[in-house]
Amino acid sequence: DQQVKQNSPSLSVQEGRISILNCDYTNSMFDYFLWYKKYPAEGPTFLISISSIKDKNEDGRFTVFLNKSAKHLSLHIVPSQPGDSAVYFCAASINNNDMRFGAGTRLTVKP
Amino acid sequence: DTEVTQTPKHLVMGMTNKKSLKCEQHMGHRAMYWYKQKAKKPPELMFVYSYEKLSINESVPSRFSPECPNSSLLNLHLHALQPEDSALYLCASSQAGLGTEAFFGQGTRLTVV
């Protein structure tokens, strides 16, 4: 039962442009959402999060948007840099318990 | 120190072997986790320890046995594994509950032959 879905396995973007990574979820009880970034041969690294009481959270070049009615969140990276090339995982949790991951989206930023 | 350290980085074991994976953190986190990740799949939660007590066991086969000797250490004991258990095993820790920001180790790449 895939409660967190990332339907795009890969995304390619030109350096300096915007990268938009999407995530959908099915469980309306999720109340906290996180994005992790993973380089090859490393564990996932926390990037940014958002609580269900908010619809936007910004941290430097990274912004996460949450649309609860659509059960959809997105990660915007502006401007994209080659060092952003990695696999990005969306994750969701309920009441600080459990954490379900999406399948990941491989982002490639071309110089 | 914001690291979660996992040893070994790679492990090859036979189906009759007994081995252990180790995880260590010195961030004062009170929650520690084991995840399993197969190729091109998301990490799947296996076990959660909160304040050194097992709080979540996601129906993992008994050939995987977790142990939390103290708040900084987490072990995963392996016995009689199957080839399909080959995967990347990730350890993570967090200050509070599982839904908060977790720090992950680099993982142990396990191959069962």
Side-chain angles (χ1 to χ4, degrees):
Chain A
D1 177 18
Q2 194 74 12
Q3 296 187 42
V4 179
K5 299 177 184 179
Q6 292 176 258
N7 293 319
S8 297
S10 63
L11 174 67
S12 183
V13 171
Q14 205 66 34
E15 182 179 5
R17 306 295 291 268
I18 184 171
S19 295
I20 300 176
L21 298 114
N22 293 305
C23 178
D24 297 292
Y25 59 95
T26 57
N27 191 339
S28 58
M29 298 298 291
F30 286 134
D31 58 9
Y32 200 70
F33 303 89
L34 309 94
W35 284 95
Y36 283 85
K37 175 178 171 180
K38 187 178 186 300
Y39 292 116
E42 294 184 12
T45 303
F46 169 73
L47 195 57
I48 193 170
S49 62
I50 187 167
S51 164
S52 61
I53 62 173
K54 295 186 176 181
D55 55 18
K56 178 182 174 181
N57 188 25
E58 196 170 352
D59 183 2
R61 296 185 297 114
F62 302 92
T63 303
V64 57
F65 295 93
L66 176 63
N67 182 335
K68 281 190 296 183
S69 60
K71 295 192 182 70
H72 176 84
L73 66 155
S74 60
L75 174 68
H76 292 211
I77 307 174
V78 181
S80 302
Q81 299 173 353
D84 296 328
S85 297
V87 177
Y88 288 79
F89 289 100
C90 169
S93 69
I94 302 171
N95 197 26
N96 282 347
N97 280 318
D98 208 338
M99 185 154 60
R100 303 287 171 171
F101 284 84
T105 297
R106 181 176 299 280
L107 173 66
T108 303
V109 180
K110 298 178 181 176
Chain B
D1 182 3
T2 58
E3 279 194 353
V4 175
T5 304
Q6 287 187 244
T7 55
K9 287 187 169 49
H10 301 274
L11 178 63
V12 179
M13 62 185 289
M15 289 188 285
T16 59
N17 291 159
K18 284 186 182 180
K19 296 286 184 183
S20 296
L21 309 185
K22 297 186 183 300
C23 176
E24 191 170 358
Q25 58 87 16
H26 296 287
M27 294 177 278
H29 289 172
R30 303 316 299 255
M32 296 185 75
Y33 322 92
W34 280 114
Y35 281 86
K36 173 183 177 180
Q37 186 179 19
K38 303 281 276 185
K40 298 184 180 180
K41 296 286 187 182
E44 294 178 3
L45 184 65
M46 299 175 72
F47 302 105
V48 180
Y49 272 83
S50 180
Y51 291 88
E52 300 162 49
K53 290 186 179 178
L54 184 64
S55 62
I56 295 179
N57 177 346
E58 290 282 322
S59 301
V60 179
S62 60
R63 56 186 184 268
F64 295 92
S65 175
E67 179 198 16
C68 189
N70 60 55
S71 60
S72 299
L73 296 174
L74 185 65
N75 299 322
L76 185 63
H77 302 298
L78 314 173
H79 174 53
L81 294 194
Q82 303 297 312
E84 59 263 30
D85 295 322
S86 299
L88 180 68
Y89 288 83
L90 293 162
C91 173
S93 70
S94 66
Q95 183 70 25
L98 182 52
T100 57
E101 294 80 353
F103 289 78
F104 283 81
Q106 287 190 324
T108 295
R109 174 72 59 189
L110 174 68
T111 304
V112 181
V113 296

